[in-house]
PDB file of all heavy atoms in Angstrom:
ATOM      1  N   ALA A   3      18.213   3.376  -3.800  1.00  0.00           N
ATOM      2  CA  ALA A   3      16.844   3.557  -4.286  1.00  0.00           C
ATOM      3  C   ALA A   3      15.992   2.345  -3.941  1.00  0.00           C
ATOM      4  O   ALA A   3      16.320   1.222  -4.296  1.00  0.00           O
ATOM      5  CB  ALA A   3      16.859   3.784  -5.786  1.00  0.00           C
ATOM      6  N   LYS A  34      10.001  11.966  -6.266  1.00  0.00           N
ATOM      7  CA  LYS A  34       8.781  11.676  -7.009  1.00  0.00           C
ATOM      8  C   LYS A  34       9.056  10.694  -8.134  1.00  0.00           C
ATOM      9  O   LYS A  34      10.189  10.527  -8.578  1.00  0.00           O
ATOM     10  CB  LYS A  34       8.182  12.957  -7.585  1.00  0.00           C
ATOM     11  CG  LYS A  34       7.731  13.913  -6.509  1.00  0.00           C
ATOM     12  CD  LYS A  34       6.989  15.082  -7.072  1.00  0.00           C
ATOM     13  CE  LYS A  34       6.502  15.959  -5.931  1.00  0.00           C
ATOM     14  NZ  LYS A  34       5.465  16.872  -6.342  1.00  0.00           N
ATOM     15  N   ALA A  35       7.991  10.034  -8.589  1.00  0.00           N
ATOM     16  CA  ALA A  35       8.087   9.093  -9.701  1.00  0.00           C
ATOM     17  C   ALA A  35       6.888   9.274 -10.611  1.00  0.00           C
ATOM     18  O   ALA A  35       5.831   9.738 -10.174  1.00  0.00           O
ATOM     19  CB  ALA A  35       8.130   7.664  -9.185  1.00  0.00           C
ATOM     20  N   ASP A  38       2.803   5.007 -15.111  1.00  0.00           N
ATOM     21  CA  ASP A  38       1.900   5.071 -16.260  1.00  0.00           C
ATOM     22  C   ASP A  38       0.454   4.808 -15.844  1.00  0.00           C
ATOM     23  O   ASP A  38       0.157   3.882 -15.114  1.00  0.00           O
ATOM     24  CB  ASP A  38       2.335   4.099 -17.356  1.00  0.00           C
ATOM     25  CG  ASP A  38       2.378   2.652 -16.901  1.00  0.00           C
ATOM     26  OD1 ASP A  38       2.460   2.433 -15.681  1.00  0.00           O
ATOM     27  OD2 ASP A  38       2.324   1.753 -17.761  1.00  0.00           O
ATOM     28  N   ARG A  57      -6.030  18.590 -26.344  1.00  0.00           N
ATOM     29  CA  ARG A  57      -6.027  18.248 -24.913  1.00  0.00           C
ATOM     30  C   ARG A  57      -5.562  16.802 -24.767  1.00  0.00           C
ATOM     31  O   ARG A  57      -6.295  15.885 -25.093  1.00  0.00           O
ATOM     32  CB  ARG A  57      -7.420  18.436 -24.335  1.00  0.00           C
ATOM     33  CG  ARG A  57      -7.861  19.894 -24.351  1.00  0.00           C
ATOM     34  CD  ARG A  57      -9.356  20.039 -24.107  1.00  0.00           C
ATOM     35  NE  ARG A  57      -9.825  19.201 -23.033  1.00  0.00           N
ATOM     36  CZ  ARG A  57     -10.053  19.615 -21.787  1.00  0.00           C
ATOM     37  NH1 ARG A  57      -9.868  20.870 -21.482  1.00  0.00           N
ATOM     38  NH2 ARG A  57     -10.486  18.794 -20.869  1.00  0.00           N
ATOM     39  N   ILE A  58      -4.349  16.629 -24.265  1.00  0.00           N
ATOM     40  CA  ILE A  58      -3.741  15.303 -24.190  1.00  0.00           C
ATOM     41  C   ILE A  58      -3.535  14.921 -22.725  1.00  0.00           C
ATOM     42  O   ILE A  58      -2.957  15.691 -21.954  1.00  0.00           O
ATOM     43  CB  ILE A  58      -2.395  15.284 -24.944  1.00  0.00           C
ATOM     44  CG1 ILE A  58      -2.656  15.577 -26.415  1.00  0.00           C
ATOM     45  CG2 ILE A  58      -1.667  13.965 -24.754  1.00  0.00           C
ATOM     46  CD1 ILE A  58      -1.436  15.689 -27.262  1.00  0.00           C
ATOM     47  N   LYS A  60      -1.745  13.346 -19.585  1.00  0.00           N
ATOM     48  CA  LYS A  60      -0.331  13.130 -19.293  1.00  0.00           C
ATOM     49  C   LYS A  60      -0.192  12.666 -17.846  1.00  0.00           C
ATOM     50  O   LYS A  60      -0.867  13.181 -16.954  1.00  0.00           O
ATOM     51  CB  LYS A  60       0.423  14.443 -19.499  1.00  0.00           C
ATOM     52  CG  LYS A  60       1.900  14.382 -19.222  1.00  0.00           C
ATOM     53  CD  LYS A  60       2.536  15.741 -19.425  1.00  0.00           C
ATOM     54  CE  LYS A  60       4.012  15.695 -19.075  1.00  0.00           C
ATOM     55  NZ  LYS A  60       4.627  17.007 -19.122  1.00  0.00           N
ATOM     56  N   GLN A  65       4.345  11.343  -5.311  1.00  0.00           N
ATOM     57  CA  GLN A  65       5.327  11.206  -4.237  1.00  0.00           C
ATOM     58  C   GLN A  65       5.672   9.734  -4.004  1.00  0.00           C
ATOM     59  O   GLN A  65       4.792   8.880  -4.005  1.00  0.00           O
ATOM     60  CB  GLN A  65       4.751  11.821  -2.962  1.00  0.00           C
ATOM     61  CG  GLN A  65       5.743  12.098  -1.886  1.00  0.00           C
ATOM     62  CD  GLN A  65       6.660  13.264  -2.226  1.00  0.00           C
ATOM     63  OE1 GLN A  65       6.301  14.166  -2.963  1.00  0.00           O
ATOM     64  NE2 GLN A  65       7.856  13.217  -1.694  1.00  0.00           N
ATOM     65  N   ALA A  74       5.908 -10.830  -5.111  1.00  0.00           N
ATOM     66  CA  ALA A  74       5.590 -11.922  -6.036  1.00  0.00           C
ATOM     67  C   ALA A  74       4.128 -12.357  -5.921  1.00  0.00           C
ATOM     68  O   ALA A  74       3.539 -12.826  -6.902  1.00  0.00           O
ATOM     69  CB  ALA A  74       6.504 -13.104  -5.768  1.00  0.00           C
ATOM     70  N   ALA A 103      17.523 -10.095  -9.016  1.00  0.00           N
ATOM     71  CA  ALA A 103      18.473 -11.200  -8.908  1.00  0.00           C
ATOM     72  C   ALA A 103      19.787 -10.840  -9.531  1.00  0.00           C
ATOM     73  O   ALA A 103      19.934  -9.927 -10.260  1.00  0.00           O
ATOM     74  CB  ALA A 103      17.908 -12.441  -9.584  1.00  0.00           C
TER      75      ALA A 103
END
Side-chain angles (χ1 to χ4, degrees):
K34 296 187 177 197
D38 59 339
R57 295 166 44 100
I58 297 176
K60 179 181 177 186
Q65 196 71 28

